[in-house]
Amino acid sequence: MTLAPARQSILPDRVTTPTLRTFLRGVPSVDEVGAAERVAALSTRSIKKESKRAALDLMIRMMDLTTLEGKDTPGKVIQMSAKAHRPDPTDPSIPSVAAVCVYPNMVPYAVQATEGTGVLVASVATYFPSGLSDTRLKIEETKKVVADGADEVDMVIDRGAFLAGEYFKVFDEIRRTREACGDAHLKVILETGELETLDNVRRASMLAMAAGADFIKTSTGKVSPAATLPVTLVMLEAIRDFHDATGVQVGMKPAGGIRTSKEAMRYLVVLNETLGVDWMTPEWFRFGASSLLNDVLMQIRWLETGRYSSPDYFTKD
Amino acid sequence: MAITRIPSTTHEPLLWEYADSKESTDVVEIDDRYGLYIDGEFRSPRSRSHFTTVNPATEEPLATVAEAGKADVDDAVAAARAAYEDVWGPMSPPERAKYIFRIARMIQERSRELAVLETLDGGKPIKESRDVDLPLVAGHFFYYAGWADKLEYAFPGIRPRPLGVAGQVIPWNFPMLMLAWKVAPALAAGNTVVLKPAETTPLTALAFARLTEEAGLPPGVLNVVTGAGETGSLVVAHDDVDKVAFTGSTAVGKLIQRQLAGTTKKLTLELGGKGAHLIFEDAPLDQAVEGVINGIFFNQGHVCCAGSRLLVEESVHDRFVDKLKRRLSTLRVGDPMDKNTDVGAINSKEQLDRISDLVESGRSEGAEMFQPDCELPQRGFFFRPTLFTGVSQSHRIAQEEIFGPVLSILSFRTPEEAVEKANNTPYGLSAGVWTSKGSRILWMADRLRAGVVWANTFNKFDPASPFGGYKESGFGREGGRHGLLAYMDWSEG
Amino acid sequence: MSRVGVKKTYKLYIGGQFPRSESGRSYPALGSDGDVLARVSRGSRKDLREAVRSSRSAVDGWSGRTGYNRGQVLYRIAETLEDRAGTFVDQLMATGSTKKQAGDEVAASVDRMVWYAGWADKFAQIYGNLNPVAGPFFNISAPEPTGVVGVVAPEEPGLLGLVSRLAPVLVPGNTAVVLASQAMPMPAITFTEVLETSDLPGGVVNVLTGHKDELIPWLADHMDVNAVDAGGATPEQAFRIQEGAVHNVKRVVLPEANGPAQSPYRIAAFTETKTVWHPKGM
C-alpha cells in the first residue's frame, strides 16, 4: 500500500482499490446530452479576424507533431523534425511546433534532429498503444526513453484494468511511471474511445491527476473515436475541479481526428471558456496532430493573401 | 466581451476577442408603415390611430403600426366568421392540412429573414431566434398540419368539430413562437383566427400574415389586428368570438377570466410562473450549471417557465454557487444582432424599470447580490445577469415573477423539503430537477405541482410536447395531442 | 424527319443505387395494347439477398431519426412526386388509364403520402401511453419499428397501390424490400427515382422488379426479414408467405386486413410495443 504523491492530496490516506472506488464515486456524473449541447453552443462562437492569426499561430505552437506508424524510419523522423522546426520554409514568421511525438526506438533520431531548435521530444511508452504488458516492463521502457533524451512521456493507462474496476493497479502504474519520468513531463493517455462513457472519462481523469499526471490526454489515435469536443470538455472540467481542490495545474491534450483549423479553433474556444487564459499556452495545452499543421498553414496563407490556398504549396514531410 | 490574453514565448500580450459577428439585416425589408391584416389584405385602421415600434437594443424606431379600434376589430371578426362559414369550415380536412404544410414550408424557406426581424423588434439574441425560435415555429406548423386530417384519432369517442372563430392574444417574449402555438392548432382544428400580437413586437406577426397570403391561405382565415391592451380587450370581449386564448401576465389573465364570466366562450390561459430549479448533490454538476444558466438567462429571462428560483441541496450549495458565478463571467451581454451575444436587450423601458425595482427590493430585503463585471452598451435597454444568494421564501424576489435575468438562490436539506418549497407558490408552470437517481426524478415529478417538469435538462420545447400551467400559471395545454383540445368542440360524441 | 428518342433503361433500386439484376435477365413491360413499352430487370434471389442486406443496414439510421425528421422526408417525397406527375400520368395511360384516371391516381398518391407523413411525429401519441399500474412504478408503452419489412405490392393500381402499402411501413422507422407489380413495373421504378431525389437515405427502400412467383418464396423464407405485407399477393402467394413466415416468426399482413387504405392501424401492424418500468422513490 502506498501513499498519494507529495502534493495537496484529495485522496484518502490509504490508497487501495476500495478507497479509490469511493473516491471515484464522488466524482460528479456527466449528462451526455447536456455536455453535447454545451459543446454545440460553444461551436457557434466566431473569432475576430485580427485574433484569428494569433489563434492560428498559437495552434502551431501548441502542436505535438506526431508520427506513430509501424513503418516509421529514422529518415521519416528526421524529415518530420525539420518540418516541426520550420513548418513553412517560405515564411520564417511561422513559429515552431511545441514537440515531435514518436515511438521509443525513434527517440535518439528525434533528439538529434531537434537539437538546438527549442522543439521538444515526446515519446510514447508503456507498450503504447495497448498497454497490455507487465508493469515492470512498462516502467523500464519509460526509463529508457527518458535516458535517450525524451523531454515528455506519453503513457497509456490500462483500460482493461479500469473497466474491470482494478483502480489501484491503474493508479499505481501511473504513479510509478511518473516517478520513472524524473524531470520529464508525463502525459497520461486515457484512450477515451475505449472508456466510452463520459462518466468513465471524468473518473479516469481524476484518477490520473491524483496519481501525478502532468497532462491528461484523450487518445492514442489508434482507436476511433479519438478526440472529440464533449470528451475534451469533460476532461477540462475535471482539471478545473482538481485545480479548485488542490491548487495544482494539470495540462490537457486532445489527440487524433483533429484535421482542420476550424475544428482546432473550436477546441480553443472550449478551452478558453472552461479554463481561461491561464491554460491558453503550450505549457498547458497541446494538440496531438499531423495533418492539422498544413491546414493551419493554409489558413494563415489565406488570411495574408485573401486567396483560398491549395495543398500543393505546403510541404508533406 | 470576454477578453483573454494569450502569453507567447516572446511575451507580447495577444488579445483574443470574439468577433463582432453581426448578422446582416439586408435579408429583411421593413416597411415604414403597416396596416391591419383583415380579410386577406392590409388596410388602414378605421380608428385612424397608429403607434411606433422600436428596436430595444438601440431605441430606434422601426416602423409605424396601426392601432385597431372597435370598428376594426368588428371587421376582423366578421371576416373570420365569414371565412369560417363559407370557406374554411366546409373545406375538407386534407385540403386544410395542405395549406398548413405550405405555411410550414414557407417559414422554413424564410427562416433567416424572420429570425432577424424577430431580433430587431424584440431584442432577443439572433443566435436564439435563429436556432431556437424559428425552427420551433416551423415545427409547430408541420406538426399541426399533420393533425388536421386525423382529428378523429386524436381523442377516442369525440367527433371532431371546430369551435368557430378564435380570438388570440399573444405576448412579446416569443412573438413568432407564441403565434405558432396559437394559430397552428386553431387552423388545424378547422377554426379561423383573429390574432392580436403584443404592442412592442408586432412585426413578425405582420410578416407572417403576408407569408400566409403567399401560401394562398383563403382571405379571412387569418386576421391580424395590431394594438395594445385596449385592442386585446376588444378581441377577447367580442360577442362573435367563440374561443379565447391568452398568453401573458397573470394579472391580465385574471381580467380576461372576469370579462368572460357569464359567457359561453371557451378560454385557455397561459400565464406567469416562478419556476423552481432543484439541484441535488448527485446531479451531473457541470451540466446542471448549464441548465440553470439556460433556465434563467435564455431570452434575458423573459420566459414564463424560467427557472427563476434555484433551490440547491445544502451539502453542495457553496460548490454549486461558485461554479455558477464563474460561469456568469463568460456570458456576453450586448447587441442582439451579434451572433456571439448570449444575453440580449430587455424588451422595453417599462420592463427594465420593473426588473430594476425588484432587484432593488432584493438588496433591501437582505439578499446578497452578484453580477459579473461586463460592459453594457450605451444605448438600448440592458441588464446584467444577476444572482442573489441568501434568499428566503418570503423575499419579494422569491415570490414575484421578475421576468428578467435575475436568479434567486435558496437551499434545502431533503427531497421532501425541496418539494414543499418548490410548490410553495401560487404559480405552477415549470420545475427542474437535477439528480443521477432515476427513481428520485419520478418521485419528484409526481409531487411537483407544475405543468412541465424538466429532469436533467431545462427549457426544452417540442411541438409534440404539451405545455401549460397549474394554479395561477393558467389552464389548458399547448403542443402535442392535448393542444388540440382547446380548439375542438367536444360537446357531442 | 422525326426525332429519335432516347429510351430509358429500367433497373432495380438497391442501396440507393440503380443496378441491373446480377442475373442479367430482363422481361418486357407491356402496354394495354400488348406493345412492349420497355424492358425491365428481372430480379433474382441474389438481388433479393442484397436488397435485404441493404435494408438491414439502413434500419438503425432510419429508425434513429426523430419522427419529425422522417415526416419531413416523407413530405418531401410527396413534393417530388407531385413535381413529376407528368411522367407518371404518361406511364399510367400507357397501361390503360384515361388521362383523368391517371391524373386522379397521381393526386391520390401524393395526398396519401402527405397523410402518412403527418403521422411520423404523432403516431406514438395515439398508440403508446402511460400505464397506470398498481404500484409505485412509472410504466410506459411505446411503439417501435419492427425492422425490415417485405412488401408485395399490388398488381394494380401501379402507383397508388405501391404508395399505399409502402408509406405506413416507413412512418415508424422500418425499412422495406419491395416486390413491384409484375404487370405494371414502370411506375414503381420511376417512383424509386422520386425516392432517391427526396432525401431518403439509400437502403431504406429497395425495389425489385421481376416475377413474383420466383421471388416470393425467397422473401417468405428469409430469416432476416421481420414482417411481410402480403397486400399484393394472390391467395396462393399469401399462403406461401405464411408458410415461410413460420421459420422466424415473421409478422404477416394479409391482403384485406386493417380496414381503410388510410389508417394508423396499418402503421401499427409494423411496430412492436415496448413497455418500460421504473420505480418511483425518494
Side-chain angles (χ1 to χ4, degrees):
Chain A
M1 302 297 132
T2 49
L3 294 173
R7 46 188 192 175
Q8 187 185 339
S9 182
I10 49 174
L11 294 166
D13 286 340
R14 280 169 59 80
V15 174
T16 61
T17 283
T19 61
L20 284 172
R21 184 174 299 123
T22 311
F23 161 66
L24 291 176
R25 285 232 181 88
V27 172
S29 68
V30 182
D31 186 270
E32 182 183 53
V33 173
E37 286 178 346
R38 175 69 176 139
V39 154
L42 287 171
S43 297
T44 64
R45 290 292 197 221
S46 162
I47 315 294
K48 216 175 184 111
K49 205 168 183 181
E50 296 76 10
S51 306
K52 233 172 201 159
R53 174 60 201 256
L56 290 166
D57 267 15
L58 182 63
M59 268 176 222
I60 297 177
R61 291 188 293 112
M62 282 176 164
M63 222 175 280
D64 283 0
L65 196 59
T66 304
T67 183
L68 292 168
E69 296 183 324
K71 61 182 184 180
D72 283 341
T73 59
K76 163 77 183 180
V77 169
I78 289 165
Q79 282 176 60
M80 191 186 77
S81 301
K83 174 116 179 155
H85 174 46
R86 180 124 306 153
D88 186 349
T90 69
D91 186 354
S93 77
I94 304 282
S96 303
V97 305
V100 293
C101 185
V102 297
Y103 267 117
N105 281 6
M106 295 294 124
V107 170
Y109 305 102
V111 169
Q112 191 169 46
T114 57
E115 177 127 14
T117 63
V119 174
L120 300 169
V121 174
S123 173
V124 296
T126 66
Y127 279 66
F128 175 102
S130 76
L132 293 177
S133 184
D134 190 83
T135 308
R136 214 174 16 92
L137 295 173
K138 292 198 273 188
I139 300 300
E140 271 175 39
E141 191 190 29
T142 306
K143 287 183 178 157
K144 171 135 201 337
V145 304
V146 172
D148 281 348
D151 303 294
E152 302 179 341
V153 173
D154 287 24
M155 73 167 282
V156 289
I157 64 166
D158 184 339
R159 283 85 72 195
F162 184 86
L163 293 171
E166 295 170 44
Y167 300 122
F168 181 76
K169 178 163 197 243
V170 177
F171 176 88
D172 197 46
E173 277 186 358
I174 297 170
R175 193 193 57 77
R176 289 168 61 179
T177 309
R178 171 69 227 129
E179 231 174 271
C181 281
D183 287 336
H185 272 208
L186 178 64
K187 300 197 198 86
V188 177
I189 301 173
L190 307 179
E191 194 67 306
T192 55
E194 288 182 341
L195 297 181
E196 285 187 29
T197 69
L198 293 177
D199 284 342
N200 278 348
V201 169
R202 189 101 182 210
R203 290 187 190 130
S205 298
M206 293 303 277
L207 189 64
M209 291 190 280
D214 296 304
F215 256 70
I216 49 175
K217 175 174 165 183
T218 60
S219 332
T220 61
K222 304 299 177 197
V223 160
S224 185
T228 66
L229 285 164
V231 155
T232 299
L233 174 71
V234 169
M235 288 170 69
L236 294 175
E237 287 170 346
I239 288 173
R240 188 172 59 190
D241 279 356
F242 187 77
H243 183 252
D244 284 347
T246 65
V248 174
Q249 192 167 359
V250 173
M252 196 261 162
K253 175 175 170 181
I258 305 173
R259 293 192 182 86
T260 65
S261 47
K262 187 165 179 181
E263 197 53 21
M265 193 70 81
R266 291 200 180 112
Y267 281 85
L268 290 179
V269 169
V270 172
L271 177 64
N272 185 28
E273 295 217 15
T274 310
L275 289 172
V277 60
D278 289 339
W279 267 261
M280 299 284 287
T281 82
E283 203 186 337
W284 300 109
F285 192 82
R286 299 282 179 80
F287 285 106
S290 40
S291 49
L292 174 62
L293 182 53
N294 274 1
D295 193 79
V296 176
L297 294 176
M298 277 181 44
Q299 294 309 308
I300 292 175
R301 190 65 67 83
W302 176 74
L303 275 180
E304 284 172 347
T305 63
R307 291 187 297 275
Y308 290 117
S309 200
S310 149
D312 284 349
Y313 296 91
F314 302 95
T315 65
K316 292 187 169 79
D317 294 273
Chain B
M1 271 176 294
I3 296 179
T4 317
R5 288 176 187 278
I6 308 169
S8 73
T9 51
T10 60
H11 303 291
E12 280 162 24
L14 293 163
L15 293 178
W16 174 335
E17 287 181 32
Y18 286 135
D20 283 338
S21 185
K22 270 200 149 80
E23 179 73 45
S24 165
T25 54
D26 288 350
V27 69
V28 69
E29 264 179 49
I30 304 180
D31 296 352
D32 288 329
R33 184 175 264 254
Y34 288 87
L36 304 171
Y37 185 71
I38 297 177
D39 208 20
E41 56 172 23
F42 280 94
R43 34 167 111 159
S44 289
R46 294 220 252 159
S47 66
R48 312 266 186 110
S49 189
H50 293 83
F51 62 100
T52 312
T53 184
V54 302
N55 179 342
T58 60
E59 299 179 56
E60 312 230 319
L62 291 168
T64 303
V65 174
E67 177 157 23
K70 184 169 188 319
D72 301 305
V73 172
D74 285 345
D75 286 350
V77 175
R81 174 62 58 193
Y84 174 70
E85 301 287 340
D86 303 334
V87 181
W88 196 243
M91 192 183 286
S92 80
E95 300 302 290
R96 279 191 217 132
K98 284 190 283 186
Y99 276 116
I100 305 172
F101 272 118
R102 268 193 203 172
I103 290 172
R105 272 314 222 192
M106 290 188 62
I107 291 168
Q108 282 183 320
E109 289 303 299
R110 298 173 60 178
S111 241
R112 183 56 54 90
E113 181 193 325
L114 292 167
V116 168
L117 189 56
E118 190 81 305
T119 286
L120 289 173
D121 202 15
K124 66 173 67 205
I126 185 70
K127 190 175 66 166
E128 283 173 17
S129 47
R130 179 195 67 196
D131 296 342
V132 181
D133 294 53
L134 262 299
L136 282 171
V137 171
H140 262 89
F141 281 98
F142 264 109
Y143 179 79
Y144 282 108
W147 268 123
D149 52 2
K150 302 174 178 66
L151 294 172
E152 64 270 31
Y153 297 101
F155 300 99
I158 291 177
R159 188 164 68 83
R161 273 168 325 202
L163 291 168
V165 175
Q168 306 181 320
V169 179
I170 56 177
W172 47 259
N173 59 346
F174 292 91
M176 272 227 88
L177 185 57
M178 295 298 100
L179 181 157
W181 282 21
K182 301 264 180 303
V183 173
L187 295 186
N191 306 284
T192 55
V193 170
V194 175
L195 179 78
K196 208 293 285 179
E199 181 185 348
T200 57
T201 54
L203 297 182
T204 45
L206 294 163
F208 177 76
R210 230 178 229 152
L211 185 154
T212 62
E213 221 179 359
E214 264 181 58
L217 192 68
V221 176
L222 169 76
N223 304 277
V224 178
V225 290
T226 45
E230 181 57 34
T231 309
S233 195
L234 288 167
V235 170
V236 158
H238 200 289
D239 281 338
D240 205 25
V241 162
D242 302 291
K243 150 97 195 120
V244 172
F246 172 78
T247 296
S249 71
T250 295
V252 176
K254 288 178 176 179
L255 290 174
I256 292 175
Q257 202 173 4
R258 178 170 302 128
Q259 231 178 339
L260 263 50
T263 71
T264 55
K265 288 192 227 270
K266 300 259 182 305
L267 175 65
T268 48
L269 295 174
E270 207 267 276
L271 308 176
K274 192 71 181 176
H277 213 149
L278 309 170
I279 314 291
F280 285 89
E281 185 189 35
D282 67 344
L285 289 178
D286 287 317
Q287 286 73 50
V289 167
E290 291 306 312
V292 169
I293 295 289
N294 175 272
I296 185 56
F297 301 123
F298 171 64
N299 203 31
Q300 298 76 249
H302 302 323
V303 186
C304 41
C305 52
S308 50
R309 277 186 299 151
L310 175 62
L311 278 71
V312 189
E313 188 168 359
E314 206 171 320
S315 53
V316 76
H317 176 276
D318 290 353
R319 188 171 171 201
F320 194 76
V321 171
D322 282 345
K323 280 179 181 278
L324 264 186
K325 286 180 175 172
R326 185 189 258 153
R327 178 67 176 89
L328 239 71
S329 64
T330 62
L331 285 177
R332 300 169 58 77
V333 184
D335 180 5
M337 284 302 291
D338 183 343
K339 290 181 272 195
N340 283 325
T341 292
D342 300 316
V343 182
I346 303 300
N347 186 257
S348 64
K349 180 81 173 60
E350 202 178 58
Q351 189 58 27
L352 183 61
D353 288 343
R354 184 172 156 70
I355 295 167
S356 305
D357 183 57
L358 275 159
V359 166
E360 191 40 51
S361 83
R363 298 177 62 173
S364 63
E365 283 183 318
E368 198 180 306
M369 190 181 87
F370 173 86
Q371 285 180 341
D373 224 339
C374 53
E375 242 181 82
L376 297 180
Q378 303 282 46
R379 296 205 72 198
F381 314 125
F382 290 92
F383 199 85
R384 283 191 183 82
T386 303
L387 26 111
F388 278 101
T389 48
V391 179
S392 324
Q393 288 283 92
S394 55
H395 288 165
R396 281 184 71 197
I397 53 173
Q399 290 296 319
E400 294 177 41
E401 187 180 33
I402 301 174
F403 223 65
V406 180
L407 179 66
S408 303
I409 304 178
L410 306 85
S411 65
F412 66 86
R413 292 157 303 172
T414 64
E416 295 256 21
E417 191 185 332
V419 166
E420 198 179 70
K421 285 187 159 152
N423 288 339
N424 181 217
T425 162
Y427 292 116
L429 188 49
S430 70
V433 180
W434 292 79
T435 170
S436 300
K437 197 172 184 199
S439 30
R440 181 180 299 155
I441 289 170
L442 298 171
W443 185 93
M444 301 282 304
D446 266 4
R447 285 158 183 73
L448 288 166
R449 311 240 340 121
V452 183
V453 177
W454 284 299
N456 291 329
T457 190
F458 205 86
N459 272 348
K460 287 282 166 276
F461 305 98
D462 191 280
S465 182
F467 181 91
Y470 281 41
K471 308 192 284 184
E472 290 193 23
S473 291
F475 45 79
R477 293 289 174 270
E478 294 179 293
R481 187 172 59 102
H482 297 72
L484 288 168
L485 270 173
Y487 291 99
M488 285 164 60
D489 177 353
W490 30 305
S491 56
E492 287 167 46
Chain C
M1 283 280 107
S2 69
R3 180 184 170 274
V4 176
V6 178
K7 286 193 166 267
K8 178 154 144 188
T9 319
Y10 287 82
K11 300 188 276 180
L12 307 172
Y13 179 61
I14 300 180
Q17 315 266 317
F18 296 91
R20 284 194 178 78
S21 169
E22 61 78 39
S23 66
R25 304 171 308 174
S26 64
Y27 75 97
L30 302 177
S32 52
D33 52 4
D35 274 3
V36 174
L37 298 173
R39 293 198 72 89
V40 302
S41 282
R42 187 172 151 194
S44 69
R45 65 174 175 84
K46 288 188 182 174
D47 296 318
L48 184 99
R49 184 192 63 196
E50 281 317 298
V52 172
R53 258 193 209 142
S54 173
S55 280
R56 175 58 64 195
S57 50
V59 171
D60 278 353
W62 183 238
S63 63
R65 295 190 175 205
T66 60
Y68 179 45
N69 184 259
R70 283 197 298 274
Q72 297 268 284
V73 173
L74 295 176
Y75 183 80
R76 178 109 181 116
I77 292 171
E79 281 184 351
T80 311
L81 182 58
E82 174 124 358
D83 188 57
R84 298 206 49 197
T87 309
F88 286 100
V89 166
D90 290 343
Q91 289 178 349
L92 293 171
M93 284 173 67
T95 49
S97 300
T98 65
K99 187 162 188 199
K100 176 162 194 326
Q101 286 167 334
D104 287 349
E105 187 179 334
V106 176
S109 302
V110 172
D111 287 354
R112 185 140 302 163
M113 207 68 222
V114 171
W115 194 84
Y116 277 108
W119 271 117
D121 56 358
K122 48 188 71 72
F123 174 71
Q125 291 177 313
I126 62 156
Y127 199 70
N129 50 259
L130 189 79
N131 299 308
V133 296
F137 292 94
F138 178 83
N139 180 301
I140 193 159
S141 293
E144 295 192 348
T146 195
V148 173
V149 178
V151 176
V152 180
E155 281 299 296
E156 54 171 1
L159 175 64
L160 184 60
L162 171 60
V163 169
S164 300
R165 306 307 293 209
L166 182 60
V169 168
L170 299 179
V171 165
N174 297 299
T175 58
V177 174
V178 179
L179 302 187
S181 162
Q182 188 170 330
M184 286 205 256
M186 287 159 66
I189 295 303
T190 309
F191 185 67
T192 63
E193 292 166 12
V194 167
L195 295 177
E196 183 59 17
T197 55
S198 299
D199 299 330
L200 186 73
V204 174
V205 176
N206 298 288
V207 177
L208 303 174
T209 47
H211 293 187
K212 278 182 178 170
D213 282 331
E214 179 185 342
L215 294 171
I216 280 175
W218 293 102
L219 181 67
D221 293 348
H222 201 300
M223 301 292 278
D224 203 22
V225 169
N226 302 103
V228 176
D229 181 347
T234 62
E236 297 74 31
Q237 290 168 341
F239 181 65
R240 179 64 181 84
I241 290 168
Q242 285 179 303
E243 282 191 315
V246 168
H247 300 301
N248 63 329
V249 192
K250 289 182 186 63
R251 292 89 167 94
V252 178
V253 173
L254 291 172
E256 290 323 307
N258 296 321
Q262 278 185 186
S263 164
Y265 299 104
R266 289 181 179 272
I267 301 170
F270 300 107
T271 61
E272 308 298 329
T273 300
K274 174 177 285 172
T275 301
V276 176
W277 296 64
H278 197 300
K280 303 196 249 191
M282 212 188 280

